[in-house]
Amino acid sequence: MVYRSLDSVTVKDVEALGISSELAQEIHKKVTEIVRDYGSATPEAWNRISKHVLTPNLPFSLHQALYYGCYKDFGPDPPAWIPDPESALFTNIGRLLERHGKEFLGSKYRDPISSFSHLQEFSVSNPEVYWKTVLDEMCIDFSVPPNCILQSPSEESLTLNPGGKWLPGAFVNPAKNCLNVNSKRSLDDIVIIWRDEGDDDLPVKSMTLKELQTEVWLVAHALNALGLNRGSAIAIDMPMNVYSVIIYLAIVLAGYVVVSIADSFAPLEISTRLKISKAKAIFTQDLIIRGEKSLPLYSRVVEAQAPMAIVLPAKSSSFNIKLRDGDISWPEFLERVKKLKGDVFKAVEQPIEAFTNILFSSGTTGEPKAIPWTNGSPFKAAADAWCHMDIRKGDIVAWPTNLGWMMGPWLVYASLLNGASMALYNGSPLSSGFSKFVQDAKVTMLGVIPSIVRTWKSTDCIAGYDWSSIRCFSSTGEASNVDEYLWLMGRACYKPVIEYCGGTEIGGGFVSGSFLQPQSLAAFSTSVMGCRLFILGDDGHPIPEDAPGMGELALGPLMFGSSSTLLNASHYDVYFKEMPSWNGLILRRHGDVFERTSRGYYRAHGRADDTMNIGGIKVSSVEIERICNAVDSSVLETAAIGVPPADGGPEHLVIAVVFKDPDNSTSDLNKLRISFNSAVQRNLNPLFKVSHVVALPSLPRTATNKVMRRVLRQQLAQVDHNSKL
């Protein structure tokens, strides 16, 4: 659509968008005054329009007309939100800079907004000062303090541990820190707010810090009563609700290791993760209740041949399933230690390198990479939230996720370690019930993934709910879509979207947005604090740090909170082998293709390797291909490719098929697509969807017989775009 510049918009143009004549005249008058005072194509003009003209109740077509009209001739990366200098002073980073700006930056320091990029560089070049300051700001309590912040790798240890050693000598328990009383909160402060689907007309439920302590201590006592060795792995395969959060914290508090398993996984995927982690027990539910549907969960755990299961009822009033011999119901599990309720559980303090959580990220061989989070990883997650989403005391943080993915533990630590409350909706985030929960809980930071936003926009399930309490959104997991995120901002009176991209193996993000920088839609404005980014050119070496360009992303290796080991693969081979060096340090592989724009923003362009991103979940092509190859006897081989839509947004899963008999290429490909869909959802993940199937005479391959996925991605992008999926 062609949009008119703001200085040429007429009252009739506004009326044509379905707005009454009287209201159209009022809107036109306000826009005309803003154009007169701030110009027709400036960020300040859009800032005024977004705050003083547009409301959630006005047609989105008007929002589009004014946004695109304002930036008609602006060029790339128009800011959808710009920081306010006064408000910036009261952000976490703003306060930090007002106190330490001149000490850290010297004559470079002017004010929080103009000096933000200098602080980011300082955080990389002066990790000792920066990280000590931030850990102090978050009131992190070490039972034994670290000898230093960073022990850089020596030449001898460079190939063993290129990322150095962080907080060496420290002993700590991150769950204890989540439960501590400190300057950020008291025992009476609310730390969890929740609601169950179906109770949408009832008041939200809440739990104070004192109540959370009591519940976590009791579960920790009950865990000890199981007689497991300290450090044993204990899985959680549950929806993310108040009970799973209590269990998660109790496992860490008692010195065990959480094994994160998503509640959507099929039995085979559950079994794989249990075997890799050598889990000794698992917490799960009998069912997952979504609306009128009851989805089996315990039966999947049983089919996965899980170890001893502690089984919670989905509804506290009913528990009717028969358990295996050796499995324990939740009431029985707690009954054993009921006399200890209220007794303090002494946290198990362990070395900083001790494992607290085993999470999984897809590898390229079909088996998921088992990534341990150490005692240090939670502090990286919380620091990202403190720095970039500005999470602090008084905030209420919601992010529809699961403990099976890194954003589940991230949410726990990002909220509790920063003195905020977490908001949990035990139900589908795609419903109007969730929209009402955001309103009723007065959520201030709402995390999303683009596919959720797309559904909200298409169903309009947010209409009529007041999201004005939101201070910011944050988005991760997939590439965002400009129009969808313009719509999202408009639901909360144009609060910023802080884009956030990282990885399980990093403990958080490497690129993000900030409250102290203009935010452009579907773009990242900065490297995360403490991280240095490199874009590799065609020769495999970094292009100049400030130059625009696109290529595979590499990371500076000295990142606080990032992994240094894998349970089932060589960490060095996966992340460092054959990577270029910079200033004597081996760069760390990430695998995404990134662009740095002429205005200094970053944009993601999908995976450079064989791992794709479907619905916010990274998955190996090999995993999908293994399933699809067995669906139909006429199939010789398949290639699973994630194809980004032409207009941006989450990748589409396209399957290229080579038939044994070339004449079969004219067969019913839609029928085959349905079969692939069914098999992938049954055996891998019910959230995955095959968008398109394409028949090819052969797959393009290298001289060493590797499938050339980049070539296929380019070819299939044309098919996918033309089909308008």
Side-chain angles (χ1 to χ4, degrees), residues 629-666:
N629 288 343
V631 164
D632 193 299
S633 60
S634 67
V635 172
L636 174 65
E637 62 179 343
T638 60
I641 305 294
V643 178
D647 58 350
E651 292 181 347
H652 292 155
L653 174 56
V654 180
I655 306 294
V657 179
V658 178
F659 290 100
K660 295 175 182 176
D661 182 352
D663 293 337
N664 280 349
S665 61
T666 59

Side-chain angles (χ1 to χ4, degrees), residues 389-450:
M389 293 82 173
D390 195 45
I391 293 177
R392 54 193 172 177
K393 179 179 174 62
D395 273 324
I396 298 169
V397 186
W399 203 318
T401 185
N402 186 269
L403 288 170
W405 311 115
M406 69 155 278
M407 292 311 296
W410 186 97
L411 175 61
V412 172
Y413 292 121
S415 53
L416 296 183
L417 289 177
N418 286 311
S421 305
M422 78 176 85
L424 304 171
Y425 185 72
N426 189 21
S428 171
L430 305 179
S431 65
S432 58
F434 178 81
S435 303
K436 186 174 188 294
F437 173 68
V438 171
Q439 167 191 276
D440 295 349
K442 300 189 184 309
V443 168
T444 61
M445 200 292 279
L446 178 57
V448 297
I449 61 172

Side-chain angles (χ1 to χ4, degrees), residues 496-565:
V497 177
I498 305 298
E499 293 279 356
Y500 184 59
C501 182
T504 307
E505 72 283 0
I506 294 169
F510 57 80
V511 66
S512 186
S514 169
F515 270 84
L516 301 178
Q517 294 176 303
Q519 297 303 298
S520 182
L521 292 167
F524 309 88
S525 62
T526 179
S527 306
V528 164
M529 289 290 169
C531 299
R532 192 185 295 276
L533 305 186
F534 300 87
I535 291 176
L536 304 183
D538 293 338
D539 61 357
H541 292 278
I543 66 174
E545 285 192 71
D546 295 327
M550 186 164 70
E552 185 172 346
L553 186 80
L555 308 172
L558 304 181
M559 286 189 299
F560 176 70
S562 59
S563 64
S564 60
T565 187

Side-chain angles (χ1 to χ4, degrees), residues 67 75-79 479-482 499 501 510-511 519-525 533 535 549-551 553 592-606:
Y67 173 78
D77 306 322
S480 306
N481 176 280
V482 170
E499 293 279 356
C501 182
F510 57 80
V511 66
Q519 297 303 298
S520 182
L521 292 167
F524 309 88
S525 62
L533 305 186
I535 291 176
M550 186 164 70
L553 186 80
D592 282 353
V593 173
F594 260 71
E595 173 191 7
R596 185 164 48 233
T597 72
S598 58
R599 284 197 163 102
Y601 290 88
Y602 292 90
R603 295 187 183 274
H605 289 274

